[in-house]
Amino acid sequence: PGGPAAMAGTEKAMEKAAKERGVYGRMMGSIKTSHSLGNKVRMLKLPLILTDASLYAGAISNFYWLTRTLEAVLDRRVAAEPDGLVAELRRQMTLRTGAGYEADLAELFGERWTERAAAARTPATAAYCAALEAAGDVELVAAAFILYGALVVGGGKATQKKVKKVFPACQHRLFDIADDMAEARRGFKAAFNKFAEAHPEHEDALVREAARFMALNNTVVLSIPCLPRWFWPAAAVALAGAAAALLRSRR
């Protein structure tokens, strides 16, 4: 979220990051093509989604379910294996964004936000959540790179201000990643580079799994509705009117 300008900025940031040394640069490079394709889809769908608060809420609902599932699985893995790979990453990267999604959805959907967010969940999102539930440690590290990375690279106060101009009734806490986004991005990059330096045997798998989870992200983006509820009834009325006018002209 954040609009075409924000997405263009993210693309430039990714171009730069993909050239960096370390596993962070390799992971960014592995998702570059898939992310670019996904951004083209978002460029087409986002202007439509931003015409309706319910459509926007439905869109972020899907990434809420992904984030909620990821954070729950990460927490379970850390509790089960305090000295494991996931716990090691979590000590370096403590970011949590589920609460920000929840705050925004409560403002956008109202009191029954959990029901409406559940109704917005697409089959692609359900499949992605199932993949997260079944993921091994290295896969979870890669999934965290993808789901958190989108907000670390493209989020922050600047994006928050842009989205708030479109939907001013919402505080958009989802984008409250850090007061100092430059430092947050440096810390995010360092967390993955340090992880790979400590476990070089997993570096190729991290790169491969980052690409896989980016592709799953795109399936979710493709599955999200971008037309308001009134569109099809209105289109049907317009088509019926056009058909009637055509019949009259032929008499």
Side-chain angles (χ1 to χ4, degrees), residues 86-108:
V86 171
E88 186 175 333
L89 177 74
R90 264 319 203 188
R91 285 191 289 273
Q92 294 288 333
M93 186 198 66
T94 59
L95 182 63
R96 304 180 76 89
T97 58
Y101 279 103
E102 290 175 356
D104 288 356
L105 290 170
E107 289 184 329
L108 291 162

Side-chain angles (χ1 to χ4, degrees), residues 134-175:
D137 287 359
V138 175
E139 292 170 287
L140 287 173
V141 172
F145 175 83
I146 295 300
L147 289 173
Y148 287 137
L151 290 172
V152 172
V153 175
K157 300 292 185 184
T159 303
Q160 186 181 50
K161 288 178 182 177
K162 291 172 184 175
V163 183
K164 196 169 183 179
K165 286 180 181 178
V166 182
F167 301 119
C170 179
Q171 295 302 308
H172 302 285
R173 294 182 180 88
L174 166 60
F175 299 106

Side-chain angles (χ1 to χ4, degrees), residues 50-215:
L50 292 178
T51 64
D52 188 296
S54 292
L55 285 175
Y56 175 75
I60 67 170
S61 291
N62 284 278
F63 285 93
Y64 163 64
W65 293 116
L66 296 177
T67 302
R68 184 186 182 201
T69 302
L70 173 67
E71 292 184 344
V73 176
L74 291 176
D75 288 347
R76 290 200 301 268
R77 199 64 55 88
V78 170
E81 301 174 38
D83 297 318
L85 295 176
V86 171
E88 186 175 333
L89 177 74
R90 264 319 203 188
R91 285 191 289 273
Q92 294 288 333
M93 186 198 66
T94 59
L95 182 63
R96 304 180 76 89
T97 58
Y101 279 103
E102 290 175 356
D104 288 356
L105 290 170
E107 289 184 329
L108 291 162
F109 275 150
E111 290 183 5
R112 298 177 61 188
W113 73 266
T114 51
E115 293 175 34
R116 296 185 68 182
R121 179 169 160 154
T122 70
T125 298
Y128 194 157
C129 287
L132 291 170
E133 292 281 1
D137 287 359
V138 175
E139 292 170 287
L140 287 173
V141 172
F145 175 83
I146 295 300
L147 289 173
Y148 287 137
L151 290 172
V152 172
V153 175
K157 300 292 185 184
T159 303
Q160 186 181 50
K161 288 178 182 177
K162 291 172 184 175
V163 183
K164 196 169 183 179
K165 286 180 181 178
V166 182
F167 301 119
C170 179
Q171 295 302 308
H172 302 285
R173 294 182 180 88
L174 166 60
F175 299 106
D176 274 336
I177 301 301
D179 290 330
D180 187 341
M181 286 303 297
E183 180 59 32
R185 290 173 185 131
R186 283 193 293 270
F188 186 79
K189 175 173 65 176
F192 288 93
N193 281 338
K194 287 178 181 177
F195 181 91
E197 287 167 7
H199 306 282
E201 71 277 13
H202 295 310
E203 183 169 334
D204 288 344
L206 284 171
V207 174
R208 182 176 63 251
E209 292 301 323
R212 181 169 78 93
F213 281 105
M214 187 68 241

